[in-house]
Amino acid sequence: MSDIEALLEELRSLPAARAANARDVEALLARVKSAAGRWADVLYDIQESAQGLVGPRAGAALEVAFRRAEESYVELEIALSDYAREPGR
């Protein structure tokens, strides 16, 4: 559970306030992307370890949860990459 605890700490450390400037936005996107990647890794490990131990519905739900987390990571990666390409950055 240490991976999950580390992820929770990372999420808790994210600022609650809105970004004040462009540098804050970029830093926040990078941190959130990192957390999303870690969450996808945690879900993948849970999905893999649960195979054969849970029923088909639970297995399918774990697979969908992992895929959504992975998609979230990819979308944040795209957002960060596009943001970095903005003129003046």
Side-chain angles (χ1 to χ4, degrees):
M1 287 295 195
S2 63
D3 284 346
I4 294 173
E5 290 170 6
L7 176 61
L8 289 173
E9 282 302 313
E10 186 175 348
L11 291 172
R12 286 184 190 115
S13 73
L14 292 172
R18 298 176 73 134
N21 56 47
R23 188 175 296 151
D24 288 351
V25 172
E26 186 172 15
L28 187 57
L29 281 173
R31 290 178 69 190
V32 171
K33 182 189 89 155
S34 173
R38 290 180 77 180
W39 179 236
D41 290 343
V42 166
L43 288 174
Y44 179 80
D45 290 343
I46 292 170
Q47 174 194 1
E48 287 293 307
S49 67
Q51 284 183 357
L53 301 174
V54 299
R57 288 177 63 188
L62 288 169
E63 183 175 343
V64 168
F66 163 68
R67 287 185 183 180
R68 287 181 177 166
E70 189 175 45
E71 288 172 359
S72 177
Y73 172 82
V74 170
E75 293 299 332
L76 288 165
E77 191 172 65
I78 291 168
L80 183 60
S81 174
D82 187 59
Y83 183 82
R85 277 187 256 165
E86 292 275 325
R89 304 250 186 293

